[in-house]
Amino acid sequence: MHDHPRDRKSSQTASPAESKLAEVITYSRLCAEAAKRTASLLTASPASELLDEVREETERIKGRTIQLADSLENREQIRELSYEAFEEGTATLNNFLRPGFSPIEGLDYLAMGQAEAIGHWVMLQHLDSSPEYSEVAEWALPKLRQHLRKVAGAAAGFERRKGQRPNLK
């Protein structure tokens, strides 16, 4: 028998806000993984430094979100939901970032993940107005919006360069 959260069914059902919190944790984990994989394709460059920064900040957001989840009565259910969503999300991540993926594909996935995380945080703010949720959302949202702008800008830079003729001088 495995001692895994999926093996223990909680007698309580997660609220919509708790379900959304589980999804926020999942997107943080997936975005950190996408940033790590994409950075591994790049040598020391502004893009790799950006990805390292995004990954580190995403890990901090994930940590603070997990602290919030752990402070809630229904924390086991939130963990279970997050684990299930992460399994599904990892399959999508692996399908999107298949072996041999390009940095632009990694940046594209990361931008989509950041946009999803922003959307979930905004929904979470409207689902539950408790100070704990609002405080973490108000702290995380500006950081996520900044990540999205920077990652989208880096992706656009790759796209612009792709259409240019190489300078062979």
Side-chain angles (χ1 to χ4, degrees), residues 27-102:
Y27 279 106
S28 294
R29 292 175 69 192
L30 292 169
C31 286
E33 180 61 25
K36 178 181 169 185
R37 289 186 194 184
T38 304
S40 72
L41 300 175
L42 304 167
T43 56
S45 71
S48 68
E49 292 171 12
L50 167 66
L51 291 169
D52 288 342
E53 174 189 320
V54 167
R55 183 189 48 75
E56 290 169 7
E57 190 65 45
T58 300
E59 291 287 349
R60 281 192 284 282
I61 292 169
K62 179 185 76 174
R64 187 140 179 217
T65 307
I66 289 171
Q67 284 179 336
L68 171 59
D70 284 348
S71 73
L72 301 172
E73 183 179 322
N74 220 1
R75 65 186 148 272
E76 290 299 321
Q77 184 70 15
I78 296 168
R79 285 184 192 149
E80 182 177 322
L81 289 170
S82 180
Y83 180 81
E84 290 170 2
F86 184 71
E87 281 185 338
E88 292 173 22
T90 298
T92 302
L93 173 72
N94 290 337
N95 189 43
F96 201 90
L97 302 182
R98 292 184 287 274
F101 76 96
S102 70

Side-chain angles (χ1 to χ4, degrees), residues 86-161:
F86 184 71
E87 281 185 338
E88 292 173 22
T90 298
T92 302
L93 173 72
N94 290 337
N95 189 43
F96 201 90
L97 302 182
R98 292 184 287 274
F101 76 96
S102 70
I104 189 70
E105 290 169 313
L107 290 168
D108 185 33
Y109 180 90
L110 188 55
M112 289 186 301
Q114 293 290 339
E116 285 279 344
I118 290 167
H120 286 298
W121 271 114
V122 170
M123 286 185 269
L124 183 59
Q125 280 184 302
H126 295 287
L127 284 171
D128 193 311
S129 60
S130 66
E132 299 85 14
Y133 286 96
S134 294
E135 181 184 322
V136 178
E138 288 171 13
W139 172 80
L141 277 167
K143 295 171 186 336
L144 291 167
R145 287 181 176 122
Q146 182 180 30
H147 294 168
L148 179 57
R149 279 192 298 277
K150 287 181 176 181
V151 169
F158 271 97
E159 282 298 303
R160 277 194 307 275
R161 287 191 301 274

